[in-house]
Amino acid sequence: MEKSLEQIASLCKRRGFIFPSSEIYGGLNGFWDYGPMGSELKRNIRDAWWHFMVQWRDDVVGLDATIIMNPRIWEASGHVGGFADPMVDCKDCKKRHRADQLCEEQGLKLVQDGKGWKLPEGCKCTACGSKNLTEPRSFNLMFKTYVGPVEDDSSVAYLRPETAQAIFAQFLNIVPTSRKAVPFGVAQSGKSFRNEINPRNYTFRSREFEQMELEFFIRPDEAVELLCGHVATLADGPDLSGEPQDDWGWEVWHKYWVEQRLKWYRLAGLPQEDLHLYWQTKEELAHYARACVDIEYAFPFGVQELEGIAARSDFDLTQHQKHSGKSMEVMDDRLRLACATKSPEEKDAFRAKVVADWTARGKDPAAANAFVDGLFAGRYVPHVIEPSAGTDRLALALLCNAYDEEKLVDSKGKEDIRYVLRFSPALAPVKVAVLPLVKNKPELREKARDLYKKLQRKWKCAWDETGAIGRRYRRQDEIGTPFCVTVDFDTMGEGDDPALKDTVTLRFRDSMEQVRIPISELVAKIDAAIEL
Ligand code: GAP
C-alpha cells in the first residue's frame, strides 16, 4: 500500500499522537507536541532503547544532564565555531533555503572550497524559479539564551544541540562512580535543540527534538596491540553476535554497534528491507571521524537518516582536555600489567612503530612518544564509538511502518476500510483494551472493571464501554492496541455453556482472530507477546 505523510499526519492528529505546538495561536514552525497516544509511544521508545542499551548490558551506564551547560563546552566541541548550515535567500520572493538542500532538490551539488560555500551554475529558488539568490552564508544552528538577569556577552549560553557533549564533560565524574573500566559506555536520552533553517517532513526535521545517544569508550588500537599482541580487524571475520572481545580494534567495535543498532530497530518492529546503511565516503567524513554510517529508513518522503554511528577517535575527550585543562586519561590496570611484562627490546620496537606511523600521518613525533610513554604506564585518552539516534524520527518511522488501511467486506458484501496501526506490541501506546459487552449490567461491568484495574497495574490499558463492540475494536485498531479483552455473559456464567464462566474473549489486532481464554491465563499470554 502506498502511504502518504498526509494520511499518517491526519490519523496522528485525529487519534492524539502528534499536534502542532501552540496550535491555537497558529503553531510554531518546527515544533510539535505529542498527545495522549504519542507521549505513550515516545516513552515506550525511550524505555525500549534504555533496556537494550543500558539495562541488559554490564558495560553501559546512564546520565541525565542539564540542557543548558557552561558555554565553554560548545567552544571545545567545535559547535560555536562550526555547527552551521549554509543559508541562501531568494532576493525576489524572499524565501529562505538551506543551500545544500536547495541544490539537492535540483540534482546539483553545493560547492565548498577553502573560502566557503558557493552555489553551482543553474541553481534557482524552488519557490518562485528566480536565479536571483544571495551567496550562501553560514548560519549557526545553536539557540542562544542568557543565564541570569543581565543580557550581555558574559551571560550567553546555548540550548544543547546534542546530548552527547554532557557525557564527555562529565567523564571524570562518571569513571570513578560507575566503577567501569574501558571498554564501557555512557548513555543519555533527552531534548536537543537546533534552529534548523528549514524544518520539514512533519516531525522529521524539527527545531526541538529528542536524541538517544551512547558514547562507548574503547582502548586506542595501540593499547589493544600491547594488551593482546595483535588488533582484530573486520578482515579477521570476528563474531559480532557474541560477547565483545579484548582484541577488537575500533573498526570491529564500530561494526559491532552498527549490528547491535540494526538488531534493535528490528526488535522495535521495523522490517529489515526498509532499513538501509549509508557509509559516509572519506570526503564526507568529519576530519576527526574514522568512519560514520547512517542507519536509514524508507519513509514515504524518501530514504532518510534515523541514526548516525560514528567512530570519533579520541577527538572529543582530547578537545575537553585541552579546553578545561583537566586530564581525560584513564588508568587501565590490565594494560599496565601487560606492559610490565614486556622486554625493553619489545618496547623499543613498539615505540618505533608507533612513532613512524604517527609521523607518516603528519603528527608530531614528540606527541607520539608521549602517547607511548602513557601506554606503557597504562594511561591513555579513550577513543569513542557513538551511536546517536533520534527519538522523534523513530516515532515517525514506527508510525509510517505501522499505518495500514485494510479493505474488508462484511457478510452482506458491504465494503469497508479498517484503519490500523500495526505497532510491535512492545512499543504500542496501549497494550490492552478491556471492553464490557454491555454497560447496563452492573455485575458484568464490575467484573470487567476489576480486570481492567488489575491489568492496568502492569500495562497501559484502555477502558471503553460506549458503542457497539465492533466499533470499539476499530477504535483500538486505529491507535494500534494489540489486544482487546471482552467480558460478556459467558464470563459471568450466564451464557449457554456454564463451563465458560471466568473466561473472556481475547481479540488480536492484526488477524482480528478471537479466542476464548480463562482470565487466569490472560496475563501470561499477553506478557509473552509484549516482550521486546
Ligand atoms: N552527537 C551526534 C549527533 O548529534 P546528528 O547526526 O547530528 O549526530 C543524531 O544527530 C540524530 O539526531 C539524527 O540521526 C536524528 O535521528 C536526530 N536529529 C538530528 N537533528 C534532528 C532534527 N532537526 N529533528 C529531529 N531529529 C534530529
Side-chain angles (χ1 to χ4, degrees):
M1 188 195 87
E2 275 287 305
K3 302 179 190 183
S4 80
L5 205 52
E6 288 70 35
Q7 288 167 322
I8 293 161
S10 156
L11 182 121
C12 284
K13 180 88 194 295
R14 216 166 57 233
R15 289 294 175 210
F17 281 90
I18 301 174
F19 309 129
S21 159
S22 22
E23 196 181 8
I24 57 168
Y25 293 102
L28 188 62
N29 193 11
F31 295 87
W32 299 92
D33 291 344
Y34 289 80
M37 288 304 115
S39 53
E40 294 288 346
L41 175 64
K42 260 180 87 171
R43 199 168 53 81
N44 292 344
I45 292 173
R46 264 183 240 120
D47 286 352
W49 181 82
W50 193 265
H51 289 153
F52 189 83
M53 301 294 276
V54 184
Q55 190 173 314
W56 299 350
R57 301 185 63 99
D58 296 335
D59 55 0
V60 177
V61 294
L63 178 70
D64 188 351
T66 58
I67 285 168
I68 296 177
M69 300 184 282
N70 190 312
R72 289 181 61 203
I73 285 183
W74 307 111
E75 283 163 24
S77 67
H79 284 81
V80 169
F83 192 56
D85 277 341
M87 176 172 76
V88 291
D89 289 319
C90 173
K91 292 184 194 162
D92 290 333
C93 76
K94 310 292 177 217
K95 171 106 176 129
R96 180 158 285 174
H97 302 273
R98 214 175 99 177
D100 54 333
Q101 290 173 351
L102 184 70
C103 295
E104 217 177 276
E105 283 162 22
Q106 300 170 60
L108 301 168
K109 214 165 164 46
L110 185 67
V111 185
Q112 192 170 17
D113 59 21
K115 293 192 206 105
W117 286 295
K118 261 195 119 32
L119 286 178
E121 280 294 310
C123 187
K124 56 181 189 235
C125 171
T126 44
C128 73
S130 164
K131 288 194 178 160
N132 198 7
L133 302 167
T134 61
E135 280 301 313
R137 321 187 282 298
S138 199
F139 174 74
N140 193 298
L141 300 183
M142 283 199 295
F143 279 101
K144 243 186 205 175
T145 186
Y146 298 94
V147 173
V150 183
E151 293 193 6
D152 63 13
D153 285 352
S154 68
S155 62
V156 166
Y158 303 95
L159 304 192
R160 67 182 178 201
E162 60 171 28
T163 61
Q165 288 305 318
I167 295 174
F168 301 122
Q170 284 294 5
F171 184 69
L172 295 181
N173 279 325
I174 294 170
V175 170
T177 51
S178 66
R179 302 182 61 241
K180 298 282 176 212
V182 173
F184 81 103
V186 184
Q188 170 163 232
S189 81
K191 290 273 189 183
S192 291
F193 302 81
R194 295 183 191 176
N195 199 0
E196 298 283 354
I197 296 169
N198 194 4
R200 59 180 183 169
N201 288 332
Y202 198 24
T203 56
F204 181 82
R205 191 175 301 287
S206 306
R207 287 177 166 144
E208 176 174 341
F209 55 96
E210 272 184 56
Q211 290 183 309
M212 303 181 289
E213 300 196 281
L214 169 70
E215 303 304 321
F216 195 83
F217 299 101
I218 56 172
R219 294 185 172 104
D221 278 6
E222 292 86 345
V224 173
E225 185 166 351
L226 281 170
L227 189 67
C228 303
H230 67 281
V231 180
T233 66
L234 290 176
D236 300 316
D239 173 14
L240 297 174
S241 61
E243 287 290 306
Q245 300 296 313
D246 277 343
D247 65 353
W248 285 5
W250 72 266
E251 199 191 24
V252 180
W253 273 112
H254 183 243
K255 190 74 193 313
Y256 165 80
W257 277 111
V258 174
E259 295 298 323
Q260 287 291 308
R261 299 301 303 141
L262 281 171
K263 184 174 167 192
W264 186 76
Y265 283 112
R266 288 193 299 265
L267 283 177
L270 296 182
Q272 172 82 37
E273 64 270 21
D274 290 336
L275 292 168
H276 302 265
L277 290 183
Y278 177 74
W279 290 86
Q280 288 189 10
T281 60
K282 268 209 169 79
E283 297 74 49
E284 288 168 316
L285 286 176
H287 65 276
Y288 49 81
R290 289 173 154 177
C292 187
V293 57
D294 293 339
I295 298 183
E296 302 178 323
Y297 171 74
F299 287 96
F301 46 85
V303 175
Q304 298 274 343
E305 175 185 335
L306 276 181
E307 164 160 358
I309 303 165
R312 297 177 62 93
S313 71
D314 60 353
F315 173 77
D316 303 275
L317 285 178
T318 303
Q319 282 297 105
H320 288 296
Q321 178 168 276
K322 269 191 214 145
H323 283 252
S324 69
K326 306 271 192 315
S327 169
M328 295 286 167
E329 286 180 333
V330 291
M331 188 49 154
D332 186 331
D333 281 331
R334 290 188 53 210
L335 175 65
R336 183 176 56 80
L337 292 173
C339 289
T341 65
K342 303 250 179 252
S343 68
E345 295 73 30
E346 281 174 312
K347 285 184 169 177
D348 285 348
F350 178 82
R351 183 185 295 277
K353 196 170 126 192
V354 173
V355 172
D357 182 36
W358 280 42
T359 314
R361 287 193 274 140
K363 289 187 168 181
D364 179 9
N369 272 304
F371 172 63
V372 173
D373 288 341
L375 289 180
F376 288 162
R379 287 186 283 105
Y380 53 80
V381 175
H383 286 222
V384 78
I385 307 291
E386 178 190 68
S388 170
T391 318
D392 307 78
R393 283 202 187 164
L394 178 55
L396 184 58
L398 291 175
L399 281 160
C400 293
N401 180 62
Y403 185 86
D404 196 13
E405 291 174 11
E406 196 180 354
K407 209 186 250 174
L408 300 178
V409 184
D410 70 13
S411 52
K412 293 178 195 125
K414 199 169 153 241
E415 281 195 4
D416 185 17
I417 302 232
R418 180 170 87 111
Y419 296 95
V420 50
L421 288 178
R422 300 186 191 276
F423 290 125
S424 87
L427 294 176
V430 174
K431 307 290 188 238
V432 191
V434 179
L435 318 170
L437 186 65
V438 291
K439 64 174 172 183
N440 55 3
K441 188 119 179 51
E443 313 84 68
L444 188 151
R445 186 181 184 279
E446 200 176 315
K447 180 120 185 152
R449 195 77 197 157
D450 282 351
L451 179 60
Y452 169 66
K453 283 282 155 199
K454 187 172 142 211
L455 298 181
Q456 204 181 33
R457 300 302 289 256
K458 264 188 94 59
W459 308 295
K460 175 73 189 164
C461 295
W463 169 259
D464 191 355
E465 55 184 350
T466 49
I469 195 75
R471 285 177 68 96
R472 283 187 262 165
Y473 285 150
R474 292 298 186 83
R475 273 203 287 267
Q476 295 303 323
D477 289 343
E478 278 200 39
I479 58 169
T481 306
F483 308 104
C484 287
V485 172
T486 304
V487 174
D488 56 17
F489 295 104
D490 283 333
T491 316
M492 308 305 293
E494 295 169 11
D496 296 337
D497 183 355
L500 293 181
K501 188 170 187 313
D502 288 329
T503 64
V504 287
T505 301
L506 178 62
R507 187 245 191 199
F508 299 92
R509 175 198 66 202
D510 291 341
S511 60
M512 294 192 286
E513 184 201 356
Q514 300 185 15
V515 296
R516 196 84 206 172
I517 77 161
I519 292 177
S520 57
E521 291 173 17
L522 204 54
V523 167
K525 177 123 185 140
I526 296 175
D527 233 350
I530 281 176
E531 218 174 305
L532 192 65

